[in-house]
Amino acid sequence: YDSVRDVWLRSGLNVGEIERLAEADAFRSIGLDRRDALWAVRALDGKSAAEKLPLFDRPEIRLRDNEPETRLPVMPLGEHVIHDYRSLGLSLKAHPISFFRGSLDKAGITPNARLKDVADGKRVSVAGLVLVRQRPGTGNAIFLTLEDEEAVANIIVWPRIFDRFRAVVMGSRFIRVSGRLQSESGVIHIVAEKIEDLSHWLAELSEEAQIAAAAGPGGPNGRAGRNFLTQRGKKTPSAANDHEELSRKASSVMPKGRNFQ
C-alpha cells in the first residue's frame, strides 16, 4: 500500500474501520503519523473516485489560486501516548509516567526499579499507574500493583488505611503511596501510610495543555496544569474547568486497574 486511500480501495474496509486504523497510528509504515493519516481519511469520498486524477499527472500546468499544501502541526509525544492508550491499551512510544519523572524526583519519589536499593524498614514514596487491586480470600490487607516507566511496586494497604483512602484507592488511575518498605527474601512491599491521587497530572500529556503551557509563564513539566491554567497568577473558574476536563480525558484512557477478590 502506498496511501490511506489505496488501503481503503483495495482492502474492502469501510471508512470507519480505516479511521480506527489511523487512530491506532497504523499508517506509520507508509510514512504517515496519526494526524496525517486521519487527515487523509477525511478525504475519502467514494470508491468510484480514481486514485489519481489526470490533472495532477501534469504538474507543469500552473493553475491560478492553487490550494496550498496542508502542513499539519506535529502531534506532541504525550498526545500520541494518550491516543495509543485509547486505541490499544498501551503505548510503545513512551510510558505516561516518564513525562513526570523530573517532578517525581524533585518530590522525593523513588523509581520502582530502585526500591531494591532501599533499606528494609525505611520510609519511602512511590508513584505509578494502578494496574491491580487485590484482596485475598484470607486476611484483611488490600494489595496494589503500581507501574511506572521501568518497573512495578507492590503495596500493602491495611484496613484502617484503606478506609481512610478508599476513594483514592478505588477510583484513581495515577497515585502516590508513602509508607515503610518491607524486604524479605528478595520480595519487596511498601506498607502504605498515605495515598494521594495524582490523576490530575495526566492532563499535562494533552496537546491543549502543552500549547497553553508554552504560551504562558514557566514550563509545563511538573506543574500538573498550574501554569497553563493560570491567568495573572490566579486560577480562574474557567481554567479549573478546563483542567478538570483535560484530566478526565487523559485519565479515562489509562488502565482502570483489574480488581480481584
Side-chain angles (χ1 to χ4, degrees), residues 82-146:
I82 289 176
H83 283 278
D84 284 346
Y85 271 82
R86 178 178 293 118
S87 300
L88 305 172
L90 55 88
S91 178
L92 299 180
K93 299 181 182 71
H95 192 280
I97 306 306
S98 66
F99 294 89
F100 309 107
R101 180 49 57 194
S103 298
L104 295 173
D105 288 344
K106 290 178 182 178
I109 295 174
T110 303
N112 294 341
R114 289 172 47 195
L115 291 175
K116 63 182 183 299
D117 301 323
V118 178
D120 180 43
K122 185 176 181 180
R123 276 198 171 88
V124 68
S125 291
V126 295
L129 300 180
V130 183
L131 295 188
V132 177
R133 304 174 185 89
Q134 185 173 7
R135 171 174 281 170
T138 58
N140 296 321
I142 303 292
F143 293 90
L144 305 179
T145 301
L146 304 187

Side-chain angles (χ1 to χ4, degrees), residues 181-222:
L181 182 140
Q182 289 185 348
S183 178
E184 185 175 352
S185 302
V187 179
I188 298 174
H189 290 88
I190 310 298
V191 181
E193 298 173 353
K194 182 179 180 181
I195 304 173
E196 301 170 72
D197 185 5
L198 301 183
S199 300
H200 58 283
W201 285 31
L202 297 171
E204 280 193 45
L205 298 178
S206 68
E207 184 171 23
E208 299 99 311
Q210 294 179 42
I211 291 173
N221 186 37

Side-chain angles (χ1 to χ4, degrees), residues 17-30:
E17 291 164 337
I18 296 294
E19 184 173 17
R20 284 194 288 275
L21 286 174
E23 288 173 346
D25 208 15
F27 290 99
R28 280 188 178 270
S29 61
I30 60 173

